[in-house]
Amino acid sequence: MELLKLKNINTYYNAVHALKNVSLHLGRGEIVTLIGANGAGKTTLLNTLSAVTPARTGEILYDQQRIEGCEPERIVELGISQVPEGRQVFKPLTVEDNLELGAYLRFRRRESRKVIRADLEEMYLLFPRLRERRKQLAGTLSGGEQQMLAIGRALMAKPKVLLLDEPSMGLAPLVVQEIFGVIAALCRDKGTSILLVEQNAKAALKLADRGYVLETGKVILSGVASELLDNPEVQRAYLGKEKKEIWEN
Amino acid sequence: MQRELLKFALFAALVLVAAPLYFQGGYILNVLVFVGINTMLAIGLNLLLGFAGQISLGQAAFYGLGAYISAILTTTHGFNPWLAMIFAALAVGALAFVIGFPILKLKGHYLAMATLGFGIIVYIVINEYVDLTGGPSGFPGIPNLSIGSISFDSDMKNYYLIWVATLGVMLLAINLTRSRIGRALRAIHDSEVAAQVLGINARLLKVQIFACSAMISSLAGSLYAHYITFVSPSTFGFHFSVELLTMVVIGGLGSIYGSFLGAALITLLPEFLRAFHDYDIIFYGALLMIMTIFLPGGLIQGGTLVWNYLRNTLGGKGGADA
């Protein structure tokens, strides 16, 4: 069952045509990855979904509803949260303030503080290191901890769809493993649907159910993740294997 | 919050009880009234600049509009001064709200230019609309504020009046910055995109805080007009917007008490530098440069450093608490 569906999305930055007729879908409880080089339009796609850089033409369907004209606020309210590129935690605020800001709309809707407090505790269970540092300023955390905080902050909105923008960026392999483990668990235990944008194509394809390859604003390939992993074109362009190596196999 | 209230109460006691006891009147009291007015203005700008991260070089215009609306309504049209003050604040707030939507789409230097332009337009209107404002020669004969039979006609009475208002604004600002809205403002400051994808309506919140800051400036303007009983355009020019910016930065961005320290320093400094006669402006400039180099976090950072040092050394000697 499709939860999120993009049809012929075109997004522009003034005259620059950043997304060209992009169509993709995301099922309930599915992990879909979007891979591609720098400047392919991966971040733009997430920002189009979050309505930060709205599409000029095309349709976005969420739970059978058209949402492409909505404000960013409404998108979050509907259950689509983004973990932005480069983490973007609020550095001068404490870890706990950051997490509480994730529940901004829930506070505004006057949801019970007890429930929100319980969710905060859940984040600390998910990322025990954040609990140790909850009174610390977010700017003093390590890169991996900041990434955990950024994910925790997005989860405080209780999303049904989580958009992740390069969570592995600049992190040590072990930390990447830990974070990808959490993403897998979120999908498995909570049924959260995940759209994962990555440059680390190998790790992303291993984690995901399906994948799309984006190049200069166009989807050039899509399919089951394991098949994409074996695709010679993907191997050459994104997995760093030389043509020769592929032939020798 | 408990500690915050205690700190505020201590500050209020110092300002309302200790200062007037020490300075029985005369010129210095007049300067201290201005410290109050400037503190209020600096807090207004600090909410915008220090918390939401949006610059305004047009604060003097809101200050001037408040002063002139109060002056014209009370003197030309015979309004009750309190009513005029509230009307002025609402009108200026509404104006800021309307111009805020297009202006606050801009960022950084462009926002600075746009607010600067607004400030210049208001200045020119005040200066040239002679029939309404009296033009460059000013607008005299504004009545003092009064409650019942008490007229706020002396420096001492105005000191209390204006400082009570300033403390009120201060308490409001402290509450605001420690609330959910305050956190959201600082989030916008740090990363607008990240704030937006959490569902914070950055555009609306920026405009709201801009309007709030304008209303505080307008209130300060009205109080100024009724205190001095005379207003002229030169008070509300571009240089005063820059002076306010200096107060906020020198005091400490994002600190309410910092705004007080900055306002106090910038208001009092020229009085102390008078001894240097014609060279005072050199000392003034040099002092500001030295402070920005060595105390980039503002006076409040210096104050915190001294306080921690004292506590550590005194605590160390006593050896009692750690």
Side-chain angles (χ1 to χ4, degrees):
Chain A
M1 184 62 217
E2 284 160 4
L3 183 55
L4 190 63
K5 194 178 171 91
L6 279 70
K7 283 189 202 164
N8 292 319
I9 288 294
N10 285 285
T11 301
Y12 294 75
Y13 291 109
N14 295 323
V16 180
H17 197 170
L19 292 177
K20 298 162 188 159
N21 285 320
V22 172
S23 297
L24 56 82
H25 67 272
L26 175 67
R28 275 177 214 276
E30 199 180 21
I31 302 183
V32 167
T33 184
L34 193 67
I35 58 177
N38 270 341
K42 306 189 296 292
T43 299
T44 307
L45 185 83
L46 293 195
N47 283 342
T48 295
L49 271 168
S50 287
V52 178
T53 41
R56 195 173 288 178
T57 62
E59 282 177 29
I60 305 175
L61 290 160
Y62 173 74
D63 220 359
Q64 332 288 340
Q65 275 175 4
R66 300 269 300 257
I67 60 162
E68 69 270 12
C70 293
E71 291 285 311
E73 221 181 325
R74 179 80 188 128
I75 301 288
V76 180
E77 216 162 30
L78 285 168
I80 304 176
S81 280
Q82 191 194 137
V83 181
E85 184 180 30
R87 308 182 259 280
Q88 302 195 29
V89 294
F90 305 122
K91 295 197 171 93
L93 297 175
T94 64
V95 167
E96 194 146 302
D97 281 348
N98 266 273
L99 288 172
E100 283 190 1
L101 271 169
Y104 182 81
L105 286 175
R106 299 172 62 199
F107 276 112
R108 211 183 61 181
R109 283 201 303 265
R110 311 238 173 268
E111 247 179 73
S112 116
R113 272 171 192 277
K114 241 187 208 159
V115 176
I116 297 175
R117 192 74 226 172
D119 288 335
L120 197 66
E121 282 303 313
E122 204 177 314
M123 289 308 130
Y124 288 143
L125 283 178
L126 197 60
F127 303 110
R129 258 187 288 174
L130 293 185
R131 186 202 298 277
E132 288 166 32
R133 303 185 186 283
R134 65 174 190 270
K135 295 289 168 207
Q136 219 170 301
L137 297 186
T140 65
L141 301 183
S142 74
E145 288 162 352
Q146 287 191 13
Q147 188 62 58
M148 293 170 192
L149 178 56
I151 294 173
R153 186 181 63 182
L155 290 176
M156 285 298 287
K158 294 222 150 198
K160 296 190 188 79
V161 175
L162 190 63
L163 312 174
L164 286 147
D165 199 346
E166 294 202 31
S168 76
M169 192 209 261
L171 299 183
L174 265 178
V175 182
V176 175
Q177 239 176 45
E178 194 182 337
I179 283 168
F180 275 32
V182 169
I183 296 170
L186 273 175
C187 179
R188 191 179 57 228
D189 304 338
K190 302 244 162 192
T192 311
S193 308
I194 287 161
L195 183 58
L196 172 68
V197 157
E198 261 302 337
Q199 282 209 41
N200 186 344
K202 196 172 174 183
L205 287 169
K206 277 186 178 164
L207 176 72
D209 301 308
R210 289 186 304 113
Y212 292 87
V213 181
L214 206 61
E215 203 172 275
T216 56
K218 279 185 231 155
V219 174
I220 55 160
L221 266 176
S222 64
V224 178
S226 57
E227 282 171 17
L228 285 177
L229 255 177
D230 292 334
N231 182 308
E233 186 57 27
V234 173
Q235 289 197 340
R236 186 192 58 74
Y238 304 104
L239 302 177
K241 289 194 178 157
E242 292 292 329
K243 276 206 162 106
K244 213 170 75 185
E245 261 179 88
I246 301 168
W247 292 335
E248 280 167 359
N249 274 339
Chain B
M1 201 65 207
Q2 288 273 314
R3 275 186 59 173
E4 200 61 43
L5 282 178
L6 196 72
K7 205 158 88 180
F8 178 76
L10 211 71
F11 179 79
L14 210 68
V15 165
L16 289 183
V17 183
L21 274 179
Y22 191 72
F23 304 106
Q24 285 295 327
Y27 181 65
I28 191 75
L29 203 62
N30 165 277
V31 176
L32 290 180
V33 175
F34 273 98
V35 172
I37 291 177
N38 289 342
T39 299
M40 197 188 296
L41 288 164
I43 289 173
L45 179 57
N46 203 353
L47 287 177
L48 188 68
L49 182 65
F51 289 92
Q54 309 299 314
I55 196 164
S56 166
L57 288 177
Q59 291 302 101
F62 297 126
Y63 181 43
L65 282 172
Y68 270 93
I69 294 174
S70 267
I72 293 163
L73 285 184
T74 54
T75 316
T76 317
H77 300 287
F79 270 58
N80 175 306
W82 299 101
L83 214 65
M85 189 185 290
I86 293 167
F87 178 83
L90 290 177
V92 171
L95 176 69
F97 194 80
V98 171
I99 65 165
F101 276 101
I103 278 188
L104 287 161
K105 272 188 187 161
L106 306 170
K107 290 182 177 33
H109 299 111
Y110 299 97
L111 179 60
M113 292 302 289
T115 50
L116 170 65
F118 171 73
I120 290 173
I121 291 169
V122 169
Y123 177 79
I124 291 175
V125 169
I126 291 176
N127 212 25
E128 301 292 329
Y129 207 151
V130 180
D131 292 344
L132 199 64
T133 65
S137 46
F139 191 110
I142 305 163
N144 282 122
L145 285 162
S146 57
I147 301 175
S149 59
I150 310 163
S151 171
F152 291 91
D153 50 5
S154 70
D155 282 341
M156 190 58 101
K157 285 177 189 162
N158 271 290
Y159 179 88
Y160 283 111
L161 173 72
I162 283 169
W163 269 103
V164 164
T166 301
L167 288 170
V169 166
M170 219 165 171
L171 195 60
L172 208 79
I174 289 170
N175 264 319
L176 182 74
T177 54
R178 295 179 71 86
S179 70
R180 190 172 52 84
I181 303 291
R183 285 200 298 264
L185 288 173
R186 291 165 71 184
I188 292 173
H189 188 174
D190 209 40
S191 166
E192 214 169 306
V193 171
Q196 275 182 308
V197 299
L198 295 180
I200 296 168
N201 192 336
R203 204 172 50 174
L204 183 64
L205 210 54
K206 282 196 295 188
V207 174
Q208 282 169 332
I209 201 71
F210 184 61
C212 174
S213 155
M215 284 172 80
I216 293 174
S217 304
S218 165
L219 185 69
S222 299
L223 288 168
Y224 168 85
H226 290 298
Y227 168 48
I228 300 294
T229 68
F230 170 83
V231 288
S232 76
S234 60
T235 317
F236 310 109
F238 169 60
H239 77 98
F240 189 65
S241 287
V242 174
E243 215 169 290
L244 279 175
L245 191 70
T246 317
M247 290 176 199
V248 172
V249 174
I250 287 284
L253 282 169
S255 162
I256 301 297
Y257 293 101
S259 286
F260 160 71
L261 291 177
L265 182 86
I266 299 296
T267 315
L268 295 173
L269 201 55
E271 310 298 328
F272 292 128
L273 291 180
R274 220 151 260 173
F276 296 103
H277 300 291
D278 291 348
Y279 299 103
D280 63 343
I281 197 75
I282 298 176
F283 283 95
Y284 184 84
L287 217 73
L288 292 190
M289 271 168 69
I290 290 168
M291 268 188 297
T292 23
I293 291 168
F294 292 103
L295 282 178
L299 288 170
I300 196 77
Q301 181 198 20
T304 314
L305 285 176
V306 170
W307 169 252
N308 285 341
Y309 175 78
L310 284 178
R311 210 169 51 170
N312 285 339
T313 46
L314 294 180
K317 272 178 197 158
D321 67 324

